[in-house]
Amino acid sequence: MNITRNNVDALNAIVTIELAKEDYQGNVDKVLSDYKKNANVPGFRKGAIPMGMIKKQYGKAVLFEEVNKILQDKLNNYLVEEKLDILGNPLPVLNENFDWDAEVLSFDFELGLAPEFTVDLEGKNKITKYTVIADDAMLDEQIEHIQKQYGKLVSKDVVSEEDEMAGVFVNEEAGVNSEVTIPVTAFRTKTNQKKFIGKKVGDQVTVNTKGLFDDEHKLMQYLGLDHDAVHGLEIDVVFTINEINVTEKAELNQEFFDKLFGEGKVTSVEELKEKIKEDAEKQFATQADQKFMNDVLEHLIESTEFDLPSEFLKKWLQTAGDTPMSEAEAAEEYEKSEKGLRYQLIEGKIMTSNDLQLNFEEIKEYTTGLIKQQMAQFGQADPSDADVENIVGRVLSNQDEMKRISEQVMNEKMLALFNDKVKAKVKEIPYKDFVKELYGE
């Protein structure tokens, strides 16, 4: 047996495996011998079938199978021994005139090689790392929201701006008959809001769906229609008022503070604001970290230049899935997946060049922290080590959970590396402005 490699270019290679008869004939003869012993053929005693008949019936199929086994084994070993970093899987080069009776069988395999490149974490960039703050306006909004959440619903006779209405939207032609509860402030314009103010139970108000709410999802929610139905919808709907209610906000007193946080933990509005600010900014920090991670990776994808064996990968995609693809379908799929592939290669390069590794003890320790945190949320502030150990064992025995937690641990390692290496501009920003940065609104 002989294995050689011809590097077509930096990203493509051909591996040739030559098999002499002595490399595979012994395996073929053994399989055929087993067939001879066990085959049931009418007119012959079991085990007494002539070998010539066995070879005629099964010889080619056994030869193909045994040669294929050897090829796969030798090719895999060669890739490992040569430390070849390949993309996709090796593709056999088809030869319609292949001579299976030749003294030496020669097989070619195409390889797509991973590109060589470096990742510069400390290079010039326009990345901003945000510190998100809960400003006074947000804290006031949150306190008002909590007061309403724990407040008391009071029935009213006449609609005012702060009220919510229970009623039914109807347009028979469009199939609208939706019973909802809706605050007056849900309507986007003051013009539509004023149509309801001063109305009583039993009154009907007609509004047009165009621009009725600030997005189409609310139109779907309140009219009970699907996305296709509300897209560009411009019809009149009649709302019949069945109930008018207002929420009397809970008082900001000690009883209210104790209900929220436990007895004596918060004793004033100032302390309430500090508590809300602390909890909110912990959540904001997680979101800001994720945006920073995404922005760094997006920058690296755009700024790290390397070529891919694109033609090989398109060819590989044609046969990689359960359903074969046409050449055009594979080209389209490659265009969709190229960015993801670049991301994976860059991420892998960062991990190897910065020695970011995972070990089981790290994963176990991280999982233990998660379990204790979850148990505390359900009132088990001081669980026994044995109980925690038992739950951790069950979680980590699930492969999907193990994979998910491993990714979280590696994500934290990557974030720590980026915080240390990437020279980003630091900016303090209120949450509302941060949302605009996230979604571009």
Side-chain angles (χ1 to χ4, degrees):
M1 186 190 71
N2 186 38
I3 301 181
T4 57
R5 181 173 84 248
N6 173 34
N7 289 327
V8 179
D9 54 39
L11 298 171
N12 296 274
I14 300 289
V15 169
T16 300
I17 302 179
E18 294 179 339
L19 298 179
K21 279 195 175 182
E22 58 264 26
D23 294 320
Y24 59 83
Q25 194 61 53
N27 292 5
V28 173
D29 291 343
K30 182 179 183 308
V31 173
L32 291 175
S33 178
D34 290 339
Y35 275 30
K36 183 177 184 301
K37 291 176 186 175
N38 298 305
N40 290 309
V41 178
F44 294 94
R45 288 182 294 105
K46 188 174 182 178
I49 305 166
M51 180 56 78
M53 184 179 291
I54 293 293
K55 287 183 178 180
K56 184 176 181 180
Q57 187 168 356
Y58 301 109
K60 283 294 183 185
V62 171
L63 174 63
F64 296 160
E65 184 175 355
E66 293 305 310
V67 166
N68 187 58
K69 286 179 183 178
I70 293 171
L71 288 174
Q72 292 301 318
D73 181 58
K74 298 303 181 185
L75 181 57
N76 290 338
N77 288 342
Y78 176 80
L79 296 177
V80 173
E81 290 168 3
E82 294 294 312
K83 298 180 180 178
L84 291 178
D85 191 4
I86 66 170
L87 301 178
N89 292 318
L91 290 176
V93 177
L94 299 181
N95 181 355
E96 294 180 0
N97 299 314
F98 191 83
D99 183 8
W100 285 92
D101 296 319
E103 289 298 315
V104 176
L105 304 181
S106 181
F107 302 88
D108 291 334
F109 295 88
E110 292 182 64
L111 303 183
L113 305 177
E116 290 291 330
F117 62 94
T118 58
V119 178
D120 184 8
L121 293 178
E122 300 181 51
K124 186 177 179 181
N125 64 70
K126 296 181 180 179
I127 298 167
T128 299
K129 180 169 174 54
Y130 293 101
T131 300
V132 186
I133 59 170
D135 59 7
D136 289 338
M138 179 185 179
L139 294 175
D140 290 339
E141 285 179 11
Q142 285 296 306
I143 290 173
E144 184 174 3
H145 174 74
I146 296 170
Q147 283 180 277
K148 288 182 177 180
Q149 183 181 352
Y150 287 88
K152 183 171 65 174
L153 204 63
V154 177
S155 180
K156 290 184 62 179
D157 297 323
V158 180
V159 177
S160 63
E161 190 175 358
E162 297 298 319
D163 298 341
E164 65 180 23
M165 304 169 294
V168 184
F169 280 111
V170 175
N171 180 306
E172 292 183 1
E173 290 184 9
V176 176
N177 192 320
S178 179
E179 188 171 342
V180 298
T181 297
I182 182 169
V184 174
T185 53
F187 298 103
R188 187 176 67 86
T189 66
K190 289 291 184 182
T191 300
N192 278 326
Q193 291 177 18
K194 286 177 181 178
K195 290 181 180 181
F196 292 89
I197 294 172
K199 299 298 182 182
K200 299 178 181 179
V201 171
D203 287 348
Q204 294 184 326
V205 178
T206 300
V207 289
N208 192 277
T209 57
K210 184 178 180 181
L212 189 58
F213 304 112
D214 54 16
D215 69 54
E216 289 186 346
H217 289 92
K218 287 183 180 178
L219 202 58
M220 293 166 57
Q221 173 190 343
Y222 286 124
L223 299 191
L225 299 175
D226 62 28
H227 186 273
D228 291 338
V230 302
H231 183 64
L233 185 67
E234 189 174 348
I235 59 171
D236 286 338
V237 288
V238 177
F239 185 79
T240 302
I241 302 172
N242 294 333
E243 290 181 22
I244 305 167
N245 297 300
V246 65
T247 301
E248 285 188 356
K249 294 186 289 188
E251 291 185 36
L252 296 175
N253 54 29
Q254 192 59 50
E255 181 183 355
F256 178 64
F257 301 151
D258 291 346
K259 184 186 291 186
L260 287 179
F261 301 107
E263 189 173 348
K265 292 187 177 179
V266 170
T267 60
S268 66
V269 174
E270 288 70 26
E271 289 182 11
L272 173 62
K273 285 188 175 183
E274 283 299 318
K275 180 66 175 171
I276 294 173
K277 182 179 177 69
E278 178 185 348
D279 292 344
E281 289 182 354
K282 282 181 182 177
Q283 296 179 26
F284 299 163
T286 301
Q287 295 176 48
D289 283 343
Q290 191 58 55
K291 176 169 174 52
F292 177 59
M293 280 273 293
N294 294 343
D295 289 348
V296 171
L297 289 169
E298 193 68 31
H299 163 72
L300 292 174
I301 290 170
E302 292 176 1
S303 63
T304 306
E305 296 183 0
F306 56 83
D307 292 325
L308 292 169
S310 55
E311 294 308 312
F312 169 84
L313 290 170
K314 291 173 189 176
K315 190 186 298 186
W316 171 70
L317 283 170
Q318 289 183 256
T319 59
D322 295 332
T323 305
M325 290 184 185
S326 68
E327 187 175 332
E329 288 172 333
E332 183 180 354
E333 182 63 28
Y334 176 77
E335 292 300 318
K336 292 178 184 176
S337 59
E338 182 184 0
K339 185 175 180 180
L341 176 57
R342 288 181 178 277
Y343 166 81
Q344 290 177 359
L345 290 171
I346 289 170
E347 184 182 51
K349 178 67 72 172
I350 292 170
M351 290 165 60
T352 53
S353 53
N354 292 278
D355 197 27
L356 298 185
Q357 300 179 8
L358 289 177
N359 61 60
F360 182 74
E361 286 306 313
E362 284 180 311
I363 297 169
K364 183 178 177 182
E365 182 180 350
Y366 184 85
T367 307
T368 300
L370 289 179
I371 297 302
K372 286 183 176 180
Q373 189 178 53
Q374 290 172 4
M375 293 177 80
Q377 291 174 353
F378 289 96
Q380 292 179 266
D382 190 26
S384 70
D385 291 343
D387 286 344
V388 174
E389 187 84 15
N390 188 37
I391 297 172
V392 169
R394 289 204 307 271
V395 169
L396 295 183
S397 66
N398 182 307
Q399 288 188 349
D400 291 338
E401 284 296 302
M402 180 72 166
K403 181 175 182 292
R404 183 180 66 82
I405 292 171
S406 297
E407 288 173 352
Q408 289 178 357
V409 177
M410 182 53 72
N411 194 64
E412 290 197 359
K413 285 176 176 277
M414 292 274 280
L415 177 61
L417 177 70
F418 291 168
N419 279 324
D420 181 47
K421 298 284 188 182
V422 176
K423 294 171 178 156
K425 180 176 71 175
V426 179
K427 182 178 180 181
E428 193 173 87
I429 186 172
Y431 184 68
K432 280 189 177 180
D433 292 341
F434 178 67
V435 171
K436 292 178 183 177
E437 292 291 338
L438 276 177
Y439 302 109
E441 297 177 355

